[in-house]
Amino acid sequence: MILAPMSGVTDQPFRRLVKRFGTSLLVTEMIASEAMIRETRDSMKKAQATLDERPVSVQLAGCKASSMADAAKLNEDLGADIIDINMGCPVKKVVNGYAGSALMRDLDHAASLIRATVDAVRVPVTLKMRTGWDDSSRNAPELARIAQDLGVKMITVHGRTRCQMYRGHADWAFIRKVKEAVHLPVIANGDINSYEDAEQALALSGADGVMVGRGTYGRPWFINQLRHFLKNGQKLADPSLEDQAALVLDHYRDMIDYYGADVGVRLARKHLGWYTKGLPGSAEFRNNVNKISDFNAVTSAISSYYEPLLKSMAA
């Protein structure tokens, strides 16, 4: 059960929260290798991990072998337990830089990046990819064999092509072709939002585990629920609304401590939206809190939103 790397989401405060509930492995937000070498403030912050998060995988993206190697070594020196290579990001600005899923169109170049990264570090190197660039070139099994031969230790496959972006549904059955092509652990990723999704993804793919991304939005406890279900066949209840309210405040305060008030208030808004989605009056709450820039006022707004909900449940 692995937390997927998600830009703007899997920062340190969120990873620590997911870890509190329980997960096998946490992955950082994607970090550009060139920025990491320059030790930009943003990239260094993304790479930071605390002891209570371990093990942590740092995900790197890039298009130059030398930069990937240097960035990997730097992160190893900073304490990364695993280096993950991104060959799956579909975002235009990444692809246009010949990184992410664009590398699946040039397997020779992809191999040079993998080789340089593996040779640069002593920690395990893993690879995350898509099924291919488009439906006519679903070459994930071939790339997986190349990665295995070069020393990669685990492969994660998002069950869509790059051209699909996030449209349609992840093709978990295709991931089985990757599993059959290698003897490495293979992880299924994409559209795992429920117990049934996890069961079906594993059954269709034959994968060794699942990586969960958007399914954790507003549910940092979800990966632990899946882990318990797949091990024991029991569905754990969500935390009580009282516990959720306390958790939201803890997460918000952690973000303020980590980013500072100005940045933290802004970045926390999406999480507040995800936590409250589907609850009574949530749309009005989101509209109001998104206009507040003072972090103390946001704290008060969160408490004021949950208090009547908790009272109505207790009545």
Side-chain angles (χ1 to χ4, degrees), residues 72-265:
K73 185 65 174 69
L74 175 58
N75 276 284
E76 180 184 45
D77 293 343
L78 290 171
D81 300 290
I82 296 169
I83 301 297
D84 187 59
I85 302 173
N86 183 307
M87 293 192 182
C89 181
V91 177
K92 184 180 292 187
K93 69 177 182 179
V94 175
V95 168
N96 287 351
Y98 301 103
S101 54
L103 291 163
M104 299 195 75
R105 292 191 292 179
D106 186 347
L107 297 191
D108 288 339
H109 186 47
S112 72
L113 267 63
I114 295 170
R115 182 182 296 107
T117 305
V118 171
D119 289 348
V121 295
R122 297 181 301 277
V123 297
V125 174
T126 60
L127 175 65
K128 188 169 189 286
M129 65 175 84
R130 290 202 162 212
T131 60
W133 178 259
D134 57 25
D135 285 338
S136 65
S137 59
R138 297 212 287 177
N139 57 355
E142 184 180 356
L143 178 56
R145 284 191 292 268
I146 291 170
Q148 175 178 266
D149 291 345
L150 292 172
V152 163
K153 301 302 183 184
M154 185 178 77
I155 292 169
T156 300
V157 185
H158 181 105
R160 289 182 175 86
T161 65
R162 186 273 167 180
C163 290
Q164 280 183 275
M165 299 296 286
Y166 294 99
R167 297 185 296 272
H169 196 281
D171 187 351
W172 299 320
F174 184 87
I175 298 173
R176 183 174 288 274
K177 295 183 180 181
V178 179
K179 179 60 184 172
E180 292 171 349
V182 296
H183 55 71
L184 299 175
V186 173
I187 307 299
N189 173 235
D191 294 337
I192 298 171
N193 301 308
S194 69
Y195 294 111
E196 294 73 24
D197 290 340
E199 270 193 318
Q200 190 174 11
L202 289 170
L204 290 175
S205 67
D208 302 281
V210 294
M211 177 178 280
V212 185
R214 289 174 290 172
T216 63
Y217 286 4
R219 298 189 296 171
W221 52 83
F222 178 55
I223 291 180
N224 184 57
Q225 289 177 319
L226 289 183
R227 185 170 64 165
H228 184 84
F229 173 70
L230 293 170
K231 183 177 181 180
N232 303 304
Q234 300 171 335
K235 295 182 179 181
L236 295 177
D238 290 346
S240 67
L241 189 62
E242 182 177 8
D243 288 341
Q244 289 185 40
L247 180 149
V248 172
L249 283 168
D250 283 349
H251 188 187
Y252 175 70
R253 289 168 179 146
D254 199 11
M255 291 190 74
I256 298 302
D257 290 342
Y258 184 70
Y259 288 108
D262 292 341
V263 176
V265 166

